Amino acid sequence: MPGRAPRPFVFAGATYRAPRLCAWDQFAALGLVDISLEDLREYASRGRRRGAMPPDVPSLLRSAIDALGPDKLAELFDLMLAGAERLDDGAWVPVWDPEAADTTFPDLGAARTAALVMQMLIASLGRYFSHRPFRFEPSTDGITYEALQLPNGYSWLLRPVERNMCLFESLLNGAIDLADIALMNDAISVAAENQSRAQAALDAHLKMNAGV
């Protein structure tokens, strides 16, 4: 499902345009290329200027796309190229034929299409790739438990919705993207940690006063 309106870009000498993906489809694309959120957090946490994309993200994406089997590659192309168009003789022509599961331009073979999709992924997910997660050592005081998690990282994606920081439909209509989801998750984690630390401080204070 498209997010923001299409905007032109150049690839291999031709002009294309494609809508940026909504947060839900960005998440789906990462799942298709089999790059886990933990992998991306590891890349994002490496020492670099805040707001800059890690330089090895393109190579990570390229390796992941190259490793895809035919079915997953076609699914990724379906997702990424839906709504993508190329300027041809002054007219915008769709790049992808979903029924034929193939491109509409003979010069776009599998390798070149994969490179196009990688460029589109970087453009769509640039803000997310540039997000540097907020790191801290969580406190271990109090009761701990193993929380249930939705499969495939969906608990992370839906956590801001569950905490009423955004609407579920915002994941689908392009109002927010994965960078926003990442920032909201950071804020939720910080709030939970502050609550835990405040409770630990209160418990320590009450215990000290009780011993007086």
Side-chain angles (χ1 to χ4, degrees):
M1 186 176 299
R4 299 180 180 90
R7 63 182 187 183
F9 63 94
V10 175
F11 171 78
T15 301
Y16 295 80
R17 67 180 183 183
R20 290 193 178 186
L21 301 181
C22 64
W24 190 270
D25 285 346
Q26 288 178 330
F27 189 80
L30 290 179
L32 284 171
V33 297
D34 201 24
I35 298 178
S36 72
L37 294 169
E38 287 302 322
D39 288 339
L40 289 171
R41 289 191 190 109
E42 175 62 27
Y43 274 81
S45 64
R46 295 177 180 177
R48 60 183 171 84
R49 179 172 56 85
R50 183 172 291 275
M53 184 186 301
D56 36 11
V57 162
S59 62
L60 175 69
L61 282 174
R62 186 178 299 110
S63 297
I65 292 173
D66 288 344
L68 291 180
D71 291 342
K72 271 202 168 184
L73 191 62
E75 194 174 348
L76 179 64
F77 288 174
D78 270 336
L79 175 63
M80 293 300 302
L81 297 176
E85 298 173 315
R86 185 163 111 177
L87 192 60
D88 186 45
D89 289 333
W92 290 104
V93 180
V95 171
W96 185 250
D97 182 349
E99 292 186 3
D102 200 0
T103 61
T104 55
F105 292 92
D107 62 307
L108 283 176
R112 181 168 286 189
T113 303
L116 170 63
V117 165
M118 188 185 77
Q119 181 171 322
M120 293 169 64
L121 270 172
I122 291 174
S124 181
L125 287 158
R127 289 185 65 239
Y128 177 70
F129 291 144
S130 301
H131 175 76
R132 190 171 185 177
F134 183 76
R135 299 282 191 175
F136 60 89
E137 189 67 32
S139 57
T140 56
D141 295 331
I143 299 173
T144 60
Y145 65 98
E146 184 177 350
L148 290 174
Q149 297 284 330
L150 291 173
N152 303 319
Y154 280 104
S155 287
W156 179 87
L157 179 65
L158 295 173
R159 194 178 178 208
V161 177
E162 189 268 332
R163 300 300 177 91
N164 295 316
M165 295 185 75
C166 66
L167 298 174
F168 180 80
E169 51 263 38
S170 297
L171 304 179
L172 305 174
N173 62 18
I176 60 176
D177 63 13
L178 280 193
D180 302 314
I181 296 292
L183 179 59
M184 285 187 279
N185 268 286
D186 284 349
I188 292 168
S189 295
V190 167
E193 177 62 19
N194 283 336
Q195 183 177 3
S196 178
R197 293 185 183 190
Q199 185 63 52
L202 177 60
D203 291 344
H205 176 73
L206 293 175
K207 184 177 180 180
M208 181 181 65
N209 287 344
V212 174

